[in-house]
Amino acid sequence: MTEYIPHTPEDIKKMLSAIGLQSLEALFSDIPEEVRRRYRPLGLPRGDEAGVRRHLEGLAERSTGRGLIPFLGGGIYDHFVPAVVDYVVSLPEFYTAYTPYQPEVSQGTLTWMFEYQTMICELTGMEVANSSMYDGATALAEAVLMAHRTVGGRRVLVPRSLNPQVREVLATYAWGAGLELLDVPYSEEGKLALEGIPDELCALVVQQPNFFGVIEDLSGLKERIGKAFLIVYVNPIALAVLEPPGSFGADVVVGEGQVLGNPMGFGGPLLGIFATRGEYLRRMPGRLAGRTVDAEGRPGYVMAFQTREQHIRRERATSNICTNSALCALAATVYLAALGPEGLRQVALASMERAHELADRISSLPGYELAFSGPFFNEFAVRCAHPEEAVARLREAGIAVLSPKLVAKAGLEGAFLVAVTEKRTQEELSRFVEALKGGR
Amino acid sequence: MGTIYELGAPGRRGTSLPPLGRPEEEILSFIPEGLRRKAPPWLPEVSQPELVRHYTRLSRMNYGVDTGFYPLGSCTMKYNPKLHEELARLPGFSGLHPLLPEEDVQGALGVLWELSQYLKGIAGMPGITLQPAAGAHGELTGMLLFKRYFEDRGELEKRRKILLPDSAHGTNPASATMAGFKVVSIPSDDRGMVDLSALKAALGEDVAGIMLTVPNTLGIFEEDILEITQLVHEAGGLCYFDGANLNAYLGRARPGDMGADVFHFNLHKTFSTPHGGGGPGAGPLAVSEPLVPYLPVPQIVRKGDRYALDWDRPKSIGRVHPYLGNFLVIVKALAYILLLGDEGLREVSAGAVLAANYLKERLKKTYKLPYDRLCKHEFVLSGAGLGEGIRTLDIAKRLIDYGFHPPTIYFPLIVKEALMIEPTETEPKEVLDAFCQAMEKIAREAKESPELLREAPHNAPVRRLDEARAVRQPILREPRT
Ligand SMILES: Cc1ncc(COP(=O)(O)O)c(C=O)c1O
């Protein structure tokens, strides 16, 4: 018997007799016999806890990448996660609960959702934030669909400097909805180079900082596109030191929240951030916690504006999303609460400081230069004659960066991408520089 | 209920960070002046003990599977094995960057590949993607596969409709719409199954396919499933199976043998990964042979003892996840399957269906059971007619007083005052009996002292909450002080 299932033969006998059946098989008599007959087992013997652990540990150890120092970003970053984050997300009443459909026994979840929404509004400079989407990529895709539903138009301006992974997801959704993505090139500085504004435009997407790490100037963009949505895809850590998109008239701010207290986890689960202006509240996807009162007038929280959601509105819902990334949003909430405004600022500043130091040291090496002259946050593209060789040398020194092949997806040839967080030490920075030097 | 914003004092902090190497202004000067943040975000300033006490207090106002019985229908709130939590935290999994080169992530690709093989076997279908992040995401992906399939055959212009039983979950119509299809509802007959004559009448050259939930959301197995899928296929359509209810026949029957073209798994239901207060989950998608070419890229392939990513799939719909799926959830599902083995998989469905029928037989003596037949892993009662002015909502809230999480209520829509009960296989008989006793007691109270129900809950961290007010006077964030 499996340890997760309590029924003894005696229990089974009693329960079957209460039902009036002779055997467990009889419980499945309503499945057509030929279907049951065709079943083929996996050929998998029963496991045991120690054996399963050994097998999975073996797989975990087989990934040699686990020992590399990640100067690797491209949307997922290796930030420090305080111990309290994992402590809180491991509290069983949080992680073994589901969506707070019954608010009276879900005040814990609803309260942190409300806290999370507040924090995301604060970071982004927006008026309402939902309590999570799957990831930044689908949050962006949903923002574009919302723009289309709100302002009409089937064209979307998408920068070449948008994270290519994210762009691929957006392209799939856009095709599904019959929308057309139009490229916006980048300048020599690596910044968005918006030229003409096409007709039938429903949204302009901007990534802040962009895929190459370059900080975009958001001013004047909203004015140029009129009623079309300005959608800004952010790294929320950077918003500790960058003026929030809300100040530049953004209609929707989305982003990847993994950086807020979640592990890299081979890319999932992630946390989709979604925030918008108050006027679009009823058009936004995702769950919202709201403050109300109970029968005795005491404050409490419930899921608000559920009439937007699929379980009520069905084919007219603002999205199909149901299960989201709640526990990752809880991690983000605890992370932000643990850091506070000063701590978050320090993470952003330390990441930026180290990134600039490394960039300076690399670009002073003969044969290496930064691909762009624009201001950058904690990531930058390095150009050299033989980038694949440089990356291989770094790999030999135990360092991982984003490969030229993946960088080329955003149209930049002959370069690799370097990300630096507050976790990278002086010793690691030096090791990086020495590895590049060694190659000449 | 205070939020964390009501705690702390300026200058307090919950963690420490390495010092900066130079003055702040110098670092800030890397940002052009107009783009620097002017006012800091309003975030809590709390010490670590305050923070821990706050969230521990909040957690105690929550109810989880580890707290007690959580018979939330359609959600499969089974026990979440603790081994899995440790495994997902192994540095070789949790600390792995998704954009490392293939040769450095062989173990992680191995996890994905192994789970893929098992899920294909369980579904009895030849193709799979692990990218979808949840069930609804799988549905959308499946609808996009339909779309690409018909586009490729030059039939997309005419095949615009998706048929849906009226018992379908809300995500089904929402997903079909997002992929640009028009949904048409098919009524259920008095058995609680798809009305075959209505289905026949709806089928035609304008139909792209059907979305079915098997067993359906009443917990009833569609006895005509083979005929349904055959009819749809004969009309040139495709069959989507919502796999939310796989717990009902795990290890005993395969959607591929029932005529499914696309089938989504909910790893957070059938495969025991925790629901996390609403997520994350994972919604892998298995497909039939004709749909394999359209699956999302990349596909994971094995060459000898190496794993690789195959991007060369010109007919693919593209990516639906920025990386390879909700990997840490996938790790847990793999561990679950390895522990269960074939025998354990069958024990799961046996235990789940046994518990559901046991509860149903007992509770139908007290509550209305609109569709009285063998059920699978769940069943739906009606809370109507229990007492003057008593609604299902009141029954649900009163269950809280007896220490149980309420069932799913008011779904499926075709049952008036629905109470959808899914016990799962992980509850001992004693707990099931105690739940029945509470339900029976509530039925008596409904007649004798209905105010006990109407004013419930009495034993919860808060009394009944005013949901309408949260919409009338929306407060969706802590107001700035
Ligand atoms: C029958 C059914 N279909 C689909 C879904 C959607 O799955 P998810 O919440 O994983 O998106 C659910 C989930 O609650 C469900 O019960």
Side-chain angles (χ1 to χ4, degrees), chain A residues 98 322-323, chain B residues 74 134-136 139 169 171-172 213 217 242 244 266 268-269:
Chain A
Y98 189 38
C322 178
T323 292
Chain B
S74 209
E139 293 168 23
H169 191 260
T171 51
N172 293 183
T213 306
T217 60
D242 177 335
N266 293 69
H268 45 299
K269 296 179 181 174

Side-chain angles (χ1 to χ4, degrees), chain A residues 124-436:
Chain A
T124 57
M126 303 303 281
E127 287 155 348
V128 279
N130 74 17
S131 67
S132 77
M133 307 296 283
Y134 304 135
D135 48 51
T138 57
L140 173 61
E142 294 254 21
V144 166
L145 298 182
M146 174 174 147
H148 172 62
R149 287 194 305 270
T150 307
V151 300
R154 26 178 304 282
R155 293 198 163 132
V156 188
L157 285 170
V158 181
R160 287 294 277 145
S161 53
L162 176 67
N163 181 311
Q165 257 50 38
V166 171
R167 190 201 165 92
E168 285 167 17
V169 174
L170 174 61
T172 308
Y173 274 65
W175 165 73
L179 305 181
E180 185 186 357
L181 304 186
L182 303 175
D183 281 342
V184 183
Y186 45 83
S187 67
E188 300 242 307
E189 285 184 297
K191 289 184 182 170
L192 187 81
L194 185 60
E195 289 150 3
I197 307 296
D199 56 5
E200 279 225 51
L201 184 70
C202 71
L204 163 66
V205 174
V206 186
Q207 184 177 356
Q208 177 74 314
N210 70 26
F211 175 62
F212 305 120
V214 174
I215 297 169
E216 299 280 7
D217 186 352
L218 303 176
S219 52
L221 292 177
K222 179 62 188 170
E223 290 73 13
R224 289 188 61 190
I225 58 173
K227 72 177 185 4
F229 271 25
L230 174 60
I231 301 173
V232 185
Y233 182 98
V234 298
N235 172 345
I237 298 258
L239 295 183
V241 290
L242 297 181
E243 185 62 7
S247 303
F248 300 95
D251 295 285
V252 188
V253 179
V254 292
E256 180 47 66
Q258 173 269 331
V259 286
L260 303 175
N262 285 283
M264 297 190 283
F266 200 51
L270 301 171
L271 168 60
I273 289 172
F274 192 109
T276 184
R277 289 153 49 152
E279 66 194 272
Y280 300 129
L281 168 59
R282 286 185 162 78
R283 295 181 171 275
M284 73 191 292
R287 301 220 148 101
L288 286 166
R291 181 177 279 160
T292 184
V293 294
D294 75 358
E296 290 173 8
R298 292 175 303 179
Y301 301 87
V302 295
M303 288 205 289
F305 295 94
Q306 292 189 56
T307 49
R308 299 165 299 117
E309 293 190 57
Q310 46 73 28
H311 61 283
I312 311 260
R313 188 58 64 85
R314 299 176 74 83
E315 67 270 17
R316 286 186 304 281
T318 55
S319 166
N320 67 338
I321 194 166
C322 178
T323 292
N324 53 24
S325 274
L327 205 66
C328 304
L330 173 58
T333 309
V334 179
Y335 177 80
L336 291 169
L339 289 176
E342 262 316 302
L344 186 68
R345 188 178 153 88
Q346 207 175 332
V347 168
L349 289 172
S351 302
M352 195 162 58
E353 176 190 21
R354 283 157 215 228
H356 282 76
E357 179 185 339
L358 184 60
D360 285 347
R361 289 170 69 179
I362 293 172
S363 53
S364 70
L365 298 175
Y368 294 93
E369 59 170 4
L370 299 193
F372 300 111
S373 58
F376 62 94
F377 178 57
N378 72 332
E379 198 160 19
F380 53 90
V382 178
R383 197 152 33 200
C384 58
H386 303 289
E388 293 290 357
E389 269 174 40
V391 170
R393 272 201 308 282
L394 288 165
R395 170 71 180 74
E396 239 161 80
I399 289 169
V401 295
L402 196 73
S403 72
K405 203 174 86 203
L406 289 173
V407 177
K409 281 190 170 190
L412 178 63
E413 300 289 341
F416 57 91
L417 202 58
V418 182
V420 189
T421 68
E422 81 289 356
K423 265 177 90 172
R424 300 285 73 84
T425 62
Q426 278 301 326
E427 191 277 325
E428 290 169 342
L429 263 54
S430 297
R431 194 187 317 182
F432 195 116
V433 177
E434 290 309 312
L436 287 188

Side-chain angles (χ1 to χ4, degrees), chain B residues 458-480:
Chain B
H458 308 266
N459 292 334
V462 287
R463 299 296 301 276
R464 203 176 293 194
L465 288 155
D466 186 348
E467 303 204 23
R469 179 183 158 123
V471 174
R472 251 188 353 259
Q473 302 170 35
I475 307 173
L476 303 169
R477 54 158 294 170
E478 194 71 68
R480 257 205 187 247

Side-chain angles (χ1 to χ4, degrees), chain B residues 28 31 39 56 98 100 177 186 220 238 249 269 274 279 299 311 322 340 344 358 371 388-389 431 480:
Chain B
L28 281 172
I31 305 173
T56 304
L100 284 163
T177 308
I186 304 292
I220 293 174
L238 295 170
Y249 58 89
K269 296 179 181 174
Q299 283 278 302
W311 286 90
L340 291 178
Y358 179 67
Y371 300 93
E388 254 324 282
V431 171
R480 257 205 187 247

